[in-house]
Amino acid sequence: MTASIVGWAHTPFGKFDAETVESLVVKVATDALADAGISAEDVDEIVLGHFNAGFSPQDFTASLVLQADPKLRFKPATRVENACATGSAAVHQGIRAIASGAAKIVLVVGVEQMTRTPSADIGRYLLKASYLPEDGETVGGFAGVFGKIAQSYFQKYGDQSDALAMIAAKNHKNGVANPYAQLRKDFGFEFCRAESEKNPFVAGPLKRTDCSLVSDGAAALVLTDSETAKTMGKAVNFRATAHAQDFLPMSKRDILQFEGCTVAWQRALAQAGIQLSDLSFVETHDCFTVAELIEYEAMGLTPRGQGARAIKEGWTQKDGKLPVNPSGGLKAKGHPIGATGVSMHVMSAMQLVGQAPEGMQLKNAKLAGIFNMGGAAVANYVSVLEPAK
């Protein structure tokens, strides 16, 4: 690969009434440039990942990045969107600009502000990432879509409530050590497993602890070509990237397969010349716990229908054979749509250079896998990262 990450920034994720999309963008853009040790005038291109879909009244947001520094004026700036995979779409777009020779340094920003939206509208806006002719009337919005997926999985492979609760408990426990996480509380398996007033059923077999959080937040990366990266203070190289887009209607595919996820992983691993077992850890898209469960199977960690083995046998714990979501994942960290994919890359890069927060840092992390998903396994992005030699 030709691209490297040489700087980053990340706001905490959460509910921030005093922030705006603009202020979040300005904050991470400024901090990422400072972290990379470069000036705004060194930037050749800007890519902004921002889903919006109604969350922010300000649309046409690409130029908001210019508010970070007057020297960014007249730089090419483009907003990209691909549902919940918007952040990775922005990262991959920046990589292509470098690979083509059109840019040497690219500033990538991902942002979303969701919490100002009335709760009744949140589900409606998120449901825009589904196929409306089939799913537009789904009760519970996007949670309802994944509730149906979970119900179908249970019908085919048996009740997986224990596995889902274990995934939720794992990710919440991991999130305690992540200062950027929205919810830093170790709930434990029993709380996540039992229905209660504080953990009611939301959709199908999914409870509140099975669902990622509505969030505000932003993250940013500075990308450059690998030769330039050698002159920088730190660098994390892209060993592989892959993007597989699947049909939008779930009726046109086996939704329990997450086939686009499988294809993206297969392409990325082949490009990197490695096997899944070579990875030190994975940051994966646990918008709902059932998504992480199926992703175990789609990435090839277990056979189909046996994803529960990975969590029940401890494989995906921080001390397991393939730690999954040491950051706490979307489950604990939060899921500001446009920022999520960029955040995954920041969290992974920090691990690889030994700069992850204390308690979150894994020992001897050499290879990171990232899977970011838009819709119900529609937009599927995988990145494989390694520290620069």
Side-chain angles (χ1 to χ4, degrees), residues 287-312:
C287 50
F288 301 93
T289 52
V290 69
E292 180 168 326
L293 181 71
I294 297 174
E295 286 157 18
Y296 293 162
E297 302 167 12
M299 72 173 75
L301 187 57
T302 74
R304 300 289 182 186
Q306 296 181 32
R309 283 188 61 201
I311 185 67
K312 289 182 176 180

Side-chain angles (χ1 to χ4, degrees), residues 146 232 309:
F146 273 85
M232 310 294 275
R309 283 188 61 201

Side-chain angles (χ1 to χ4, degrees), residues 71-328:
K71 293 176 182 176
L72 294 175
R73 190 182 184 195
F74 304 128
K75 308 282 187 182
T78 307
R79 170 187 162 192
V80 302
E81 183 280 318
N82 216 356
C84 305
T86 287
S88 284
V91 173
H92 286 210
Q93 184 72 17
I95 292 169
R96 280 193 290 274
I98 291 168
S100 71
K104 191 173 182 179
I105 294 178
V106 178
L107 174 62
V108 178
V109 178
V111 68
E112 212 72 56
Q113 184 166 51
M114 305 170 69
T115 66
R116 288 187 178 182
T117 302
S119 57
D121 293 333
I122 290 174
R124 186 160 54 89
Y125 293 163
L126 290 175
L127 203 55
K128 292 181 181 182
S130 68
Y131 185 55
L132 294 181
E134 292 178 0
D135 303 317
E137 303 302 319
T138 302
V139 176
F142 216 65
V145 172
F146 273 85
K148 289 180 179 179
I149 293 171
Q151 191 65 58
S152 297
Y153 190 96
F154 284 22
Q155 288 172 353
K156 185 168 184 177
Y157 299 116
D159 190 321
Q160 304 296 324
S161 297
D162 284 352
L164 298 191
M166 292 176 79
I167 289 171
K170 166 183 70 73
N171 291 346
H172 279 299
K173 183 178 181 180
N174 290 351
V176 172
N178 185 353
Y180 303 102
Q182 181 171 351
L183 193 53
R184 300 177 66 188
K185 186 173 182 180
D186 184 358
F187 287 102
F189 170 76
E190 295 299 333
F191 179 84
C192 295
R193 180 64 179 84
E195 179 192 8
S196 65
E197 184 179 345
K198 292 186 177 180
N199 191 28
F201 282 102
V202 173
L206 301 180
K207 296 185 284 294
R208 183 174 291 163
T209 49
D210 293 305
C211 307
S212 58
L213 301 158
V214 172
S215 310
D216 306 332
L221 297 170
V222 176
L223 305 179
T224 187
D225 63 275
S226 297
E227 283 303 308
T228 300
K230 292 176 182 177
T231 68
M232 310 294 275
K234 62 185 176 187
V236 174
N237 295 341
F238 283 87
R239 184 151 169 177
T241 58
H243 169 204
Q245 198 84 0
D246 207 346
F247 293 122
L248 186 58
M250 291 191 292
S251 61
K252 291 179 70 71
R253 49 203 171 96
D254 181 349
I255 193 54
L256 302 185
Q257 295 276 325
F258 279 25
E259 292 163 280
C261 174
T262 298
V263 170
W265 270 110
Q266 289 174 344
R267 288 175 180 171
L269 293 173
Q271 186 184 126
I274 60 172
Q275 297 180 334
L276 189 70
S277 58
D278 293 319
L279 296 175
S280 304
F281 68 95
V282 166
E283 286 287 337
T284 201
H285 194 97
D286 60 321
C287 50
F288 301 93
T289 52
V290 69
E292 180 168 326
L293 181 71
I294 297 174
E295 286 157 18
Y296 293 162
E297 302 167 12
M299 72 173 75
L301 187 57
T302 74
R304 300 289 182 186
Q306 296 181 32
R309 283 188 61 201
I311 185 67
K312 289 182 176 180
E313 297 180 20
W315 302 356
T316 58
Q317 298 286 352
K318 277 203 290 194
D319 59 354
K321 67 180 185 179
L322 184 64
V324 174
N325 288 333
S327 70

